[in-house]
Amino acid sequence: MKKKLTVFLLHAELILMSFIVLIPVMWIILSSFQRGSGPPVAINLKGLTLDNYNRLFSETSYFLWFYNTFKIALANMVLSVLLIMITAWIMSRFLFRGRKAGLMAIMILSMFPTFLSMTAIYTLFLTLGLVGKSISLIIVYAVGAIPYNTWLVKGYLDGVPKAIDEAAYMDGCTRFQTFRKVILPMSKPIITYCAVSQFMLPWMDYILPNILLSGDRSRTLAVGLFALINGKESINFTVFASGAVLIAVPITIIFIIFQKYLVQGVSAGADKG
């Protein structure tokens, strides 16, 4: 009886959590098919329309925002993974003076959100003439990804036996060849996790793109869509909802494709750290 009650409570809790998560998602999806332009007071399932999607493509610069975001996301993913893997490999495999202090500094830095230093970042990029250019956001994202992810990846690499490295050295590999030909292929789950998380970041971030890329031609999706409802009257809310739904499509596809590696990467990095 006690076991059945436990199972019932567990399922009840999961169902409740599912409703809490799914209700706002379903509301924004259904809002994107509603008539009118303001926030719907009540969802009307009769007479759903695609007009909001037509307005999104014809009256806004959605494709340009999408291209800007995709370009930044792809570049950030490649650069971030490269920096994270090299930093974590050095911290995991090399013993040198200041290594422990460096790891502690990285841990402390990972506790501070990047946007806390946005005034300094903006002033620096303004001096360098990079404000309004995509490269500024890529640099901030890539450098900001190092502290937290280095600890995560280092935990994973610590679990890879060093005897494998030594066997590669005996076969004639240099340290970097061992990293490229042995360590990287064995780190596929954690690399996938870092790549997907860094690819997703620009799609959801609003603060930094709004500061560094506020020009009409350089806006990302988050900045562009928020501009549609950034007023006293949300006259474009249903168009905003349709744009929000479309953002979720590529992210959902990536999650489905790499779901297996994502779970392995997070659990392996956490356990071995």
Side-chain angles (χ1 to χ4, degrees):
M1 183 64 184
K2 185 178 179 180
K3 185 178 179 180
K4 291 183 178 178
L5 180 61
T6 302
V7 172
F8 172 78
L9 291 175
L10 287 174
H11 282 83
E13 193 272 346
L14 291 175
I15 292 172
L16 178 63
M17 291 300 105
S18 299
F19 270 111
I20 293 174
V21 172
L22 290 176
I23 284 176
V25 175
M26 292 303 300
W27 187 77
I28 199 72
I29 292 175
L30 292 174
S31 296
S32 68
F33 294 102
Q34 296 296 297
R35 297 187 184 280
S37 56
V41 178
I43 297 296
N44 181 14
L45 296 179
K46 297 180 180 179
L48 300 178
T49 177
L50 292 174
D51 288 348
N52 299 315
Y53 290 89
N54 292 330
R55 287 185 59 199
L56 178 70
F57 297 137
S58 61
E59 299 177 10
T60 71
S61 302
Y62 187 83
F63 289 115
L64 178 62
W65 302 337
F66 189 96
Y67 171 73
N68 291 336
T69 310
F70 181 79
K71 178 177 63 178
I72 293 170
L74 195 62
N76 174 50
M77 179 184 70
V78 174
L79 183 59
S80 296
V81 169
L82 185 64
L83 293 176
I84 291 167
M85 291 305 299
I86 291 176
T87 307
W89 173 62
I90 292 173
M91 291 297 182
S92 175
R93 289 298 196 264
F94 291 82
L95 296 176
F96 52 90
R97 183 177 295 178
R99 174 175 173 271
K100 189 174 181 180
L103 285 170
M104 289 303 298
I106 289 175
M107 177 182 282
I108 294 172
L109 286 174
S110 67
M111 299 176 184
F112 296 94
T114 307
F115 68 83
L116 289 180
S117 57
M118 57 188 177
T119 304
I121 291 171
Y122 180 80
T123 305
L124 175 63
F125 285 136
L126 187 64
T127 305
L128 297 174
L130 295 178
V131 172
K133 298 180 180 178
S134 301
I135 187 65
S136 61
L137 201 59
I138 295 169
I139 293 173
V140 173
Y141 284 149
V143 174
I146 293 175
Y148 171 76
N149 289 288
T150 294
W151 270 98
L152 187 68
V153 178
K154 177 185 175 301
Y156 183 90
L157 296 183
D158 287 345
V160 177
K162 293 184 180 178
I164 297 177
D165 296 36
E166 294 168 359
Y169 298 152
M170 292 180 67
D171 288 339
C173 287
T174 63
R175 286 183 177 273
F176 187 73
Q177 285 175 331
T178 304
F179 170 70
R180 185 168 59 86
K181 296 181 178 179
V182 178
I183 300 298
L184 286 183
M186 296 183 67
S187 305
K188 194 179 294 183
I190 199 70
I191 290 175
T192 305
Y193 168 77
C194 292
V196 172
S197 61
Q198 291 306 307
F199 183 82
M200 287 172 50
L201 186 58
W203 301 87
M204 303 179 181
D205 188 22
Y206 171 78
I207 297 177
L208 285 172
N210 189 44
I211 294 172
L212 298 175
L213 303 176
S214 56
D216 291 336
R217 302 294 301 174
S218 60
R219 284 178 175 173
T220 61
L221 274 171
V223 178
L225 288 177
F226 186 73
L228 297 175
I229 57 172
N230 187 20
K232 294 181 179 179
E233 297 179 359
S234 298
I235 56 173
N236 294 311
F237 181 82
T238 49
V239 179
F240 166 82
S242 61
V245 171
L246 292 181
I247 288 178
V249 174
I251 296 175
T252 304
I253 293 173
I254 289 174
F255 258 100
I256 292 173
I257 294 174
F258 297 107
Q259 184 180 16
K260 176 183 175 183
Y261 289 123
L262 288 174
V263 174
Q264 289 180 358
V266 175
S267 59
D271 289 344
K272 294 170 183 173

